């Protein structure tokens, strides 16, 4: 029974398209996150939600829009995809905003061609 | 702002040798420190964490790390490397306030040679 699940695992799409990545956690955690891992493996926070409220919004292009319909789900929608958006996107959750241990999903590898 | 620096983007050890992966942090408030491991094409798995209790922290798979405030370090060690330890390792910092998410270092790739 996967704790943090992301779909799809792989996503190949053309420039200019719009795509969504879904994330669900069954841990009962209050806080969820999106991280981007670039080709050099560097992990950078994009967004954080606590109980469905946006609490962190880093300097991410506004083509990226997170949505949290309930505290168990945090989806990421990307408009007008660009080549530079190619990366692995990780969803994570934690019991509280202090992040005393995140649980990560297995990632979504996005390739924009 | 908080940050971590991992010294060495790639570390190579022989099977059975000591593993030492270095991490130094910068934080204006008492930090929480973490080590995560990422196997190829997988997500990140928590190895161990320091949250202001004991300074020597034991984790999974025989790894441990020691918080040294005077050196602002949180190095990861394992007495004897195994082939299955080959992976990418990330040090990360947060704080007790909850105002900042996990900030990761750039990662260290560990190779284990037979």
């Amino acid at each position: 029974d996967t704790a943090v699940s992301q779909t799809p695992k792989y996503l190949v799409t053309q420039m200019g398209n719009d795509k969504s990545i879904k994330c669900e956690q069954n841990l009962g955690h209050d806080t969820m996150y999106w991280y981007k891992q670039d080709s050099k493996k560097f992990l950078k926070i994009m967004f954080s939600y606590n109980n469905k409220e946006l609490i962190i919004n880093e300097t991410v292009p506004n083509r990226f829009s997170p949505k949290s319909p309930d505290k168990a789900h945090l989806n990421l929608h990307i408009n007008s995809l660009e080549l530079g958006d190619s990366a692995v996107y990780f969803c994570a959750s934690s019991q509280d905003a202090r992040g005393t241990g995140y649980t990560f999903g297995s990632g979504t590898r996005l390739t924009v061609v | 702002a908080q940050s971590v620096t991992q010294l060495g983007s790639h570390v190579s050890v022989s099977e059975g040798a000591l593993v030492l992966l270095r991490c130094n942090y910068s934080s204006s408030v008492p930090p929480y420190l973490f080590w995560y491991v990422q196997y190829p094409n997988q997500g990140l798995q928590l190895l161990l964490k320091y949250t202001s209790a004991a300074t020597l922290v034991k984790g999974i798979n025989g790894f441990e790390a020691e918080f040294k405030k005077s050196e602002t370090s949180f190095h990861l060690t394992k007495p004897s490397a195994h082939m299955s330890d080959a992976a990418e390792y990330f040090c990360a910092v947060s704080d007790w306030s909850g105002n900042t998410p996990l900030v990761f270092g750039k990662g260290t790739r560990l190779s284990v040679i037979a």
Side-chain angles (χ1 to χ4, degrees):
Chain A
D1 198 21
T2 306
V4 179
S5 59
Q6 294 179 229
T7 53
K9 191 170 174 65
Y10 300 97
L11 187 52
V12 180
T13 188
Q14 290 187 324
M15 275 195 307
N17 283 352
D18 303 338
K19 290 294 178 185
S20 291
I21 306 172
K22 296 187 176 183
C23 179
E24 175 182 4
Q25 54 97 2
N26 62 6
L27 298 166
H29 286 169
D30 287 338
T31 311
M32 295 184 73
Y33 311 83
W34 279 109
Y35 277 81
K36 178 180 180 181
Q37 186 174 45
D38 64 23
S39 59
K40 295 184 178 179
K41 302 282 188 182
F42 183 55
L43 281 150
K44 188 171 165 55
I45 183 74
M46 299 174 71
F47 302 103
S48 172
Y49 270 74
N50 186 262
N51 273 320
K52 301 193 300 175
E53 286 191 29
L54 180 66
I55 55 172
I56 291 170
N57 183 353
E58 290 295 310
T59 50
V60 175
N62 57 15
R63 298 182 294 103
F64 290 78
S65 52
K67 282 192 172 48
S68 182
D70 55 60
K71 79 172 193 178
H73 295 83
L74 179 61
N75 303 322
L76 183 65
H77 187 76
I78 316 169
N79 289 326
S80 304
L81 278 154
E82 300 177 357
L83 292 176
D85 298 331
S86 295
V88 182
Y89 292 85
F90 285 101
C91 178
S93 72
S94 67
Q95 195 163 3
D96 53 49
R98 286 181 298 169
T100 49
Y102 289 14
T103 301
F104 280 83
S106 57
T108 296
R109 183 175 294 275
L110 171 65
T111 303
V112 183
V113 298
Chain B
Q2 296 174 306
S3 65
V4 289
T5 301
Q6 291 184 241
L7 297 173
S9 58
H10 184 208
V11 171
S12 188
V13 300
S14 298
E15 193 173 20
L18 171 72
V19 175
L20 171 60
L21 304 182
R22 299 177 189 271
C23 173
N24 288 89
Y25 70 90
S26 173
S27 178
S28 56
V29 296
Y32 286 174
L33 293 158
F34 307 81
W35 276 99
Y36 283 84
V37 61
Q38 184 180 27
Y39 298 102
N41 298 315
Q42 293 189 27
L44 283 84
Q45 181 182 9
L46 181 65
L47 273 179
L48 49 80
K49 62 184 178 184
Y50 166 78
T51 54
S52 76
T55 56
L56 182 61
V57 181
K58 294 188 184 300
I60 62 171
N61 301 338
F63 284 94
E64 63 181 38
E66 187 171 8
F67 172 70
K68 291 188 177 180
K69 184 178 178 181
S70 60
E71 298 177 10
T72 61
S73 69
F74 191 58
H75 302 330
L76 182 71
T77 61
K78 181 173 180 178
S80 176
H82 192 272
M83 297 297 288
S84 61
D85 295 327
E88 193 86 22
Y89 291 80
F90 293 92
C91 183
V93 63
S94 177
D95 69 64
W96 57 269
S97 71
N99 292 328
T100 54
L102 276 187
V103 174
F104 285 88
K106 293 190 175 181
T108 298
R109 182 162 61 93
L110 176 66
S111 297
V112 182
I113 304 164

